Amino acid sequence: QVQVVESGGGMVPAGGSLKLSCAASGNIISIIRMGWYRQAPGKQRELVAEIDTHGTTNYANSVKGRFTVTGGSAEVNTINAVYLQMNSLEPEDTAVYYCRARTRNLPYWGQGTQVTVSS
């Protein structure tokens, strides 16, 4: 079992910045990848950015060049935290942001944190 807790959401004006943090606990040795997803009202949940235990990253096209995902770990080739630095925020980035920790068998989700970008 893995537990995931996010923090750092809030409200900012367009063009502003926010940083989201996510910490995993429990069977963290089983985690192979951590990342951020978001869900806006009336839309499906979508991948924003993710990073694996080797530091390989993957971004949605809509956030490339504006968002940066980084990982934290206590040991080499493990990951137990993930951060999302969001710059040049746009109203279209408004959503609930969810942290996900992926093991080989299951995904584990956080409760979500609201990000609101005002125009």
Side-chain angles (χ1 to χ4, degrees):
Q1 287 279 3
V2 174
Q3 295 77 43
V4 176
V5 179
E6 309 105 331
S7 62
M11 179 181 291
V12 294
S17 298
L18 274 177
K19 184 174 183 178
L20 304 182
S21 300
C22 175
S25 59
N27 188 18
I28 59 173
I29 198 70
S30 66
I31 298 173
I32 60 174
R33 181 183 303 118
M34 292 186 72
W36 293 94
Y37 286 69
R38 67 186 180 187
Q39 187 166 19
K43 295 188 176 181
Q44 289 189 330
R45 192 173 298 188
E46 63 176 1
L47 172 69
V48 177
E50 59 183 359
I51 184 168
D52 67 15
T53 55
H54 303 292
T56 301
T57 58
N58 182 35
Y59 292 91
N61 288 334
S62 60
V63 306
K64 284 180 181 178
R66 300 188 298 123
F67 292 11
T68 302
V69 63
T70 54
S73 62
E75 300 179 23
V76 175
N77 291 333
T78 65
I79 186 168
N80 64 348
V82 63
Y83 309 94
L84 186 67
Q85 177 66 47
M86 303 184 291
N87 298 328
S88 302
L89 281 160
E90 303 168 352
E92 293 73 23
D93 296 316
T94 295
V96 178
Y97 284 69
Y98 296 91
C99 178
R100 188 186 83 159
R102 186 73 168 91
T103 68
R104 282 185 172 79
N105 297 321
L106 289 172
Y108 294 89
W109 295 91
Q111 78 284 359
T113 185
Q114 178 70 45
V115 171
T116 302
V117 184
S118 59
S119 57

